[in-house]
Amino acid sequence: MLLVDEFDERAIRILMQVYAKNGEINKAVELYKNFQEKLSRELGINPEAKTKNLYEKIILERKDEKKKFFMVEI
């Protein structure tokens, strides 16, 4: 049986990276937001700086991808 620590931020960051690298940016963002809410609600804390920084990096990548889409010549 595999035991999972639902508050393991390293595991959350790895999963966020996997989603982002597979082009599933929205899943990575949703994972972060759900995790952030759970930490706040159940423990009264915020995610670690590493986790927040990764989230912000993913958000920037998503914005860059949208810009590339709209800058394609027709």
Side-chain angles (χ1 to χ4, degrees):
M1 179 176 186
L2 176 66
L3 297 177
V4 178
D5 177 0
E6 60 190 330
F7 297 107
D8 182 352
E9 290 203 42
R10 183 174 176 273
I12 294 294
R13 287 191 299 271
I14 290 169
L15 188 52
M16 288 170 63
Q17 289 174 324
V18 168
Y19 283 147
K21 287 181 182 186
N22 286 322
E24 298 180 276
I25 303 295
N26 290 337
K27 280 189 177 182
V29 169
E30 181 181 1
L31 177 65
Y32 175 82
K33 289 182 177 182
N34 289 339
F35 182 68
Q36 180 185 37
E37 289 173 12
K38 185 173 189 68
L39 282 178
S40 178
R41 182 179 61 249
E42 295 185 21
L43 303 178
I45 61 173
N46 293 315
E48 295 173 1
K50 282 184 181 181
T51 309
K52 185 175 180 185
N53 291 340
L54 176 59
Y55 165 75
E56 290 171 352
K57 180 180 175 186
I58 291 170
I59 292 294
L60 288 175
E61 287 178 16
R62 181 168 69 175
K63 288 180 182 178
D64 287 345
E65 287 299 315
K66 286 181 181 178
K67 284 181 187 176
K68 287 179 190 175
F69 176 77
F70 288 110
M71 295 179 75
V72 174
E73 290 186 36
I74 299 174

